[in-house]
């Protein structure tokens, strides 16, 4: 098994679920692949037993390590086949988000490699599953942070702008904002003007509140042409988003006359121990992935539908992004201002 892409709470619980279910129910043996696709390309693997996964449910990060290595680098599929044959591996369980599962689906489709997926992303933007693990922890951390910032905002009669993760979708902003009673929630899916943001903030102030604005990092106000990125490019050539809160705060203060401060939560949302919900979901995903591997259902992944864990095609999960629908935006807007 391997973990690839960004880390998030729940990865270790998946690993534990895979190993324990595989050994106890199927008599399987396992190797861990270090640092995602890099480990499979460079033959950086080690044997794993139940002792290796002891006490992992509540531990954040990933004991396997992760990277953003592309599966078609450094020899690609041909090199992977050699490593798979050398260790007599019957299946690879790839745990990751959109990039990982896209690569895994391609390796199954074009190269015939035996890969099963487990969907992971704090953004909750993968199709073919109701929720991904990591999301509940991220929204819970964001909610707690907003609650804490509210008390200092009220003490100083300030407006607070809190930036959360969300490159293309606003699920974290939506859930954390609604949970914490934000007076405006700004998401990539629904641009609004600076004037509208100012109106919501002023309305909250006029009711005697300290205005709270929650914004996803990928939000683009009407009138701007692109997302705010203050940190250059990542290893995949994508802009490193972050800083929209710092752009919004002075504009809000200018428009409303309310002293305004910005806080960027950043990687706090991805670190630390997973919530109980994510621990359970991760464990169930891991156990289901083992069953799919035993059944040789290559190209599928564990998926949550309602409260049941089912199989879904990895290609369906990455075919399109799961955006926040208009109905959820309209529902939340009733609470703004």
């Amino acid at each position: 098994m391997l973990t690839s892409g960004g880390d998030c709470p729940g990865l270790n619980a998946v690993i534990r679920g895979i190993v324990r279910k595989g050994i106890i129910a199927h008599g399987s043996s396992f190797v861990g692949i270090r640092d995602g696709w890099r480990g499979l390309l460079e033959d950086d693997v080690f044997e794993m037993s139940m002792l290796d996964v002891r006490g992992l449910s509540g531990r954040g990060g990933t004991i396997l390590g992760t990277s953003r290595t592309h599966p078609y680098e450094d020899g690609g599929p041909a090199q992977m086949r050699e490593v798979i044959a050398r260790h007599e591996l019957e299946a690879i369980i790839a745990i990751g988000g959109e990039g990982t599962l896209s690569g895994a689906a391609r390796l199954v489709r074009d190269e015939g490699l035996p890969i099963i997926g487990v969907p992971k992303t704090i953004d909750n933007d993968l199709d073919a599953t109701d929720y991904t693990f990591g999301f509940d922890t991220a929204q819970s951390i964001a909610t707690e942070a907003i609650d804490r910032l509210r008390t200092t905002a009220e003490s100083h009669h300030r407006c607070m702008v809190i930036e959360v993760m969300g490159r293309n979708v606003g699920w974290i902003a939506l859930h954390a904002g609604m949970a914490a009673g934000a007076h405006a929630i700004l998401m990539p899916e629904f641009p609004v003007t600076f004037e509208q943001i100012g109106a919501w903030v002023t309305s909250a102030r006029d009711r005697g509140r300290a205005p709270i604005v929650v914004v996803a990092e990928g939000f683009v106000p009407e009138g701007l042409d692109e997302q705010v990125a203050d940190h250059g490019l990542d290893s995949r050539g994508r802009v490193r988003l972050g800083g929209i809160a710092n752009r919004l705060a002075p504009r809000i203060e200018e428009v409303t006359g309310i002293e305004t401060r910005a806080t960027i939560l950043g990687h706090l949302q991805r670190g630390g121990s997973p919530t109980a919900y994510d621990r359970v979901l991760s464990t169930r995903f891991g156990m289901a992935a083992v069953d799919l591997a035993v059944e040789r259902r290559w190209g599928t992944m564990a998926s949550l539908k309602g409260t049941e864990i089912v199989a879904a095609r990895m290609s369906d999960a990455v075919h399109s992004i799961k955006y926040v629908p208009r109905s959820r935006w309209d529902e939340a807007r009733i609470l703004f201002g």
Side-chain angles (χ1 to χ4, degrees):
M1 75 202 80
L2 60 85
T3 54
S4 181
D7 68 302
C8 81
L11 286 167
N12 284 322
V14 174
I15 295 167
R16 176 178 175 272
I18 290 170
V19 172
R20 289 189 61 85
K21 175 69 177 288
I23 292 174
I24 294 171
H26 301 294
S28 303
S29 59
F30 294 92
V31 298
I33 301 169
R34 293 187 177 94
D35 298 337
W37 299 116
R38 184 201 66 78
L40 190 56
L41 290 166
E42 299 180 7
D43 195 3
D44 190 359
V45 307
F46 64 100
E47 293 186 5
M48 296 190 71
S49 67
M50 285 203 288
L51 185 63
D52 295 303
V53 300
R54 182 176 57 184
L56 284 187
S57 291
R59 183 173 165 183
T62 165
I63 63 168
L64 298 180
T66 186
S67 72
R68 298 192 184 276
T69 300
H70 195 280
Y72 281 78
E73 295 176 358
D74 302 323
Q79 176 66 15
M80 289 182 182
R81 286 194 185 90
E82 291 184 13
V83 175
I84 290 171
R86 187 176 303 131
H87 295 279
E88 299 181 336
L89 304 181
E90 297 181 59
I92 303 294
I93 299 178
I95 310 163
E98 187 270 337
T100 301
L101 296 181
S102 293
R106 180 182 172 187
L107 289 169
V108 174
R109 182 188 67 241
D110 296 345
E111 313 296 341
L113 295 184
I115 304 177
I116 298 295
V118 176
K120 171 261 350 169
T121 170
I122 67 169
D123 287 336
N124 196 42
D125 60 353
L126 286 174
D127 255 349
T129 184
D130 289 348
Y131 285 99
T132 53
F133 71 87
F135 170 66
D136 186 69
T137 303
Q139 67 169 347
S140 297
I141 291 170
T143 299
E144 181 182 358
I146 297 166
D147 287 343
R148 291 176 180 274
L149 289 166
R150 182 187 295 278
T151 62
T152 185
E154 290 174 343
S155 298
H156 293 272
H157 314 292
R158 289 172 175 157
C159 170
M160 286 288 183
V161 182
I162 300 99
E163 181 179 316
V164 300
M165 285 185 169
R167 171 177 290 272
N168 299 306
V169 300
W171 287 108
I172 295 176
L174 176 68
H175 280 233
M178 289 187 71
H183 301 105
I185 301 171
L186 310 176
M187 298 179 276
E189 294 92 334
F190 306 105
V192 297
T193 63
F194 285 113
E195 289 72 23
Q196 177 61 78
I197 298 168
W200 284 328
V201 168
T202 301
S203 174
R205 189 272 312 274
D206 291 347
R207 292 187 295 108
R209 306 302 306 278
I212 300 295
V213 178
V214 178
V215 57
E217 62 184 351
F219 170 72
V220 180
E222 286 188 13
L224 290 187
D225 295 329
E226 58 186 16
Q227 295 169 318
V228 174
D230 292 339
H231 308 290
L233 304 178
D234 64 17
S235 59
R236 297 168 61 187
R238 300 187 310 176
V239 294
R240 285 184 174 141
L241 299 183
I244 182 62
N246 291 329
R247 296 282 186 94
L248 285 176
R251 288 295 300 271
I252 290 173
E253 186 165 329
E254 177 185 345
V255 170
T256 67
I258 305 170
E259 186 178 359
T260 304
R261 295 288 187 270
T263 299
I264 300 174
L265 299 186
H267 286 81
L268 280 173
Q269 298 156 88
R270 292 169 70 157
S273 298
T275 60
Y277 180 89
D278 273 341
R279 296 182 197 193
V280 173
L281 180 59
S282 301
T283 302
R284 295 180 72 198
F285 273 174
M287 293 192 294
V290 171
D291 292 337
L292 294 174
V294 170
E295 296 166 8
R296 306 177 68 83
R297 299 176 66 178
W298 315 133
T300 64
M301 69 176 198
S303 170
L304 179 69
K305 292 296 180 183
T307 58
E308 299 299 317
I309 305 297
V310 300
R313 293 189 301 178
M314 289 189 287
S315 57
D316 290 342
V318 299
H319 178 70
S320 61
I321 293 176
K322 183 171 67 182
Y323 294 106
V324 174
R326 167 66 64 173
S327 60
R328 292 296 304 273
W329 166 248
D330 291 339
E331 180 181 70
R333 285 184 64 183
I334 297 297
L335 306 173
F336 295 173

